[in-house]
Amino acid sequence: MNKQIKILVVENEYITAKLIAEYLEENNYSVVGIAISIEEALQYLNEDIDLIILDINLDEERDGIWLANHINLNHNIPFIFLTAYSDKLTISKAIETDPYNYLIKPFQKPELFSAIELALHKYDKKIKTKQRESLLLKNIDKFDQVNINTILFIESKKNYLFIYTENKEYKYRGTIKEFITQLTDVFVQVHRGFIVNIRFIESIDKTKNMIYIKNHTIPVSNSFKKNLLSKIDLIKYP
């Protein structure tokens, strides 16, 4: 490797964490630190980290899935989930956080290193597709260069998407499935026909399944509600 990859290990079983760290250092990876709790992990997140190996079950009220959502919202760091559990419920909750790989305990050295290399490759590919900070969108008879972070929400109507910023509305021919791949992690699909920028959410009515953004009312489907609430960190699991 030309650059030594910096890895944080978040694992509450210290012996396991120490063993992973030894494996990594033997293979020329740099271990930024070992965190055995959420609080310790949070203290490391502002450091220069290339990858996090993250245990799902940290035996705390806030577990690895909580931390994964926190990382997605506040940091740009890829992570690999590590767990002794392979049940469908655990996996489904983990998948919602969009990890870059998944390791089941116990694992062998080659499995660990393969998971790391694949995760870094996926992250590099994702970054390259999301490097642009703006989109060229049609505004009546001309095109505007629109900063992605100024988009409030996107609504799908038939074959078109209507993209709303605070001051303008843009029309784009395409589908939600295609368009969301051009957006950053602060955008979440909340309905078959809506994507929202969670940074602009002013309030959520969980009873009526409604989101309020800048005088706009946006519906939330039950199938997307859990992911939305975990993303904005309101509650752990609704």
Side-chain angles (χ1 to χ4, degrees):
M1 299 177 198
N2 295 325
K3 175 194 173 188
Q4 195 173 33
I5 302 298
K6 300 178 180 68
I7 299 178
L8 172 66
V9 179
V10 183
E11 163 64 72
N12 67 340
E13 295 177 1
Y14 184 76
I15 294 175
T16 302
K18 191 69 176 174
L19 184 62
I20 293 171
E22 289 176 1
Y23 286 168
L24 295 174
E25 289 171 345
E26 287 172 5
N27 213 55
N28 201 35
Y29 291 102
S30 173
V31 178
V32 175
I34 294 174
I36 61 173
S37 69
I38 291 290
E39 291 305 320
E40 286 186 14
L42 291 173
Q43 292 174 17
Y44 280 107
L45 293 183
N46 289 321
E47 296 191 18
D48 183 15
I49 299 171
D50 296 306
L51 181 72
I52 299 173
I53 296 176
L54 174 58
D55 190 7
I56 290 179
N57 184 22
L58 295 174
D59 295 329
E60 299 182 45
E61 183 180 351
R62 297 183 297 179
D63 61 5
I65 292 176
W66 180 92
L67 184 59
N69 283 316
H70 176 84
I71 292 167
N72 283 336
L73 287 177
N74 300 284
H75 303 274
N76 188 22
I77 308 172
F79 55 88
I80 295 171
F81 270 136
L82 177 64
T83 183
Y85 301 99
S86 58
D87 62 279
K88 289 184 179 180
L89 181 59
T90 299
I91 292 174
S92 65
K93 289 177 179 178
I95 287 173
E96 289 175 359
T97 67
D98 197 21
Y100 286 80
N101 218 323
Y102 199 98
L103 270 174
I104 304 291
K105 301 178 190 176
F107 54 85
Q108 302 298 317
K109 282 186 187 181
E111 294 173 313
L112 172 64
F113 299 138
S114 294
I116 290 170
E117 291 302 317
L118 180 58
L120 292 173
H121 175 74
K122 289 171 66 176
Y123 177 72
D124 183 62
K125 186 176 180 180
K126 183 176 181 179
I127 289 299
K128 286 177 179 176
T129 61
K130 290 191 174 183
Q131 275 182 339
R132 56 182 176 182
E133 296 180 351
S134 62
L135 294 170
L136 197 61
L137 299 175
K138 189 173 184 180
N139 177 19
I140 307 175
D141 57 350
K142 66 184 181 70
F143 286 86
D144 290 346
Q145 200 71 243
V146 179
N147 188 309
I148 290 173
N149 292 320
T150 65
I151 297 173
L152 304 178
F153 67 95
I154 300 103
E155 180 180 6
S156 174
K157 294 180 181 178
K158 295 185 178 179
N159 297 322
Y160 288 91
L161 300 178
F162 291 84
I163 300 161
Y164 296 85
T165 65
E166 287 197 59
N167 302 314
K168 291 182 181 179
E169 173 187 326
Y170 298 93
K171 190 176 180 181
Y172 178 91
R173 187 175 181 86
T175 66
I176 276 187
K177 184 177 180 180
E178 175 268 328
F179 193 76
I180 201 169
T181 63
Q182 304 180 64
L183 303 175
T184 61
D185 291 335
V186 298
F187 288 87
V188 180
Q189 186 170 359
V190 298
H191 184 277
R192 182 177 59 185
F194 288 91
I195 299 169
V196 301
N197 185 337
I198 58 178
R199 295 189 188 279
F200 287 105
I201 294 176
E202 295 170 346
S203 64
I204 296 177
D205 189 327
K206 291 190 286 183
T207 302
K208 295 181 180 179
N209 283 352
M210 291 291 181
I211 290 173
Y212 301 95
I213 297 178
K214 305 287 185 182
N215 298 317
H216 296 279
T217 302
I218 300 161
V220 180
S221 297
N222 286 327
S223 57
F224 293 101
K225 185 177 179 181
K226 181 187 290 186
N227 185 47
L228 168 68
L229 293 177
S230 66
K231 287 274 188 176
I232 62 172
D233 217 14
L234 287 179
I235 57 177
K236 190 170 154 185
Y237 302 128

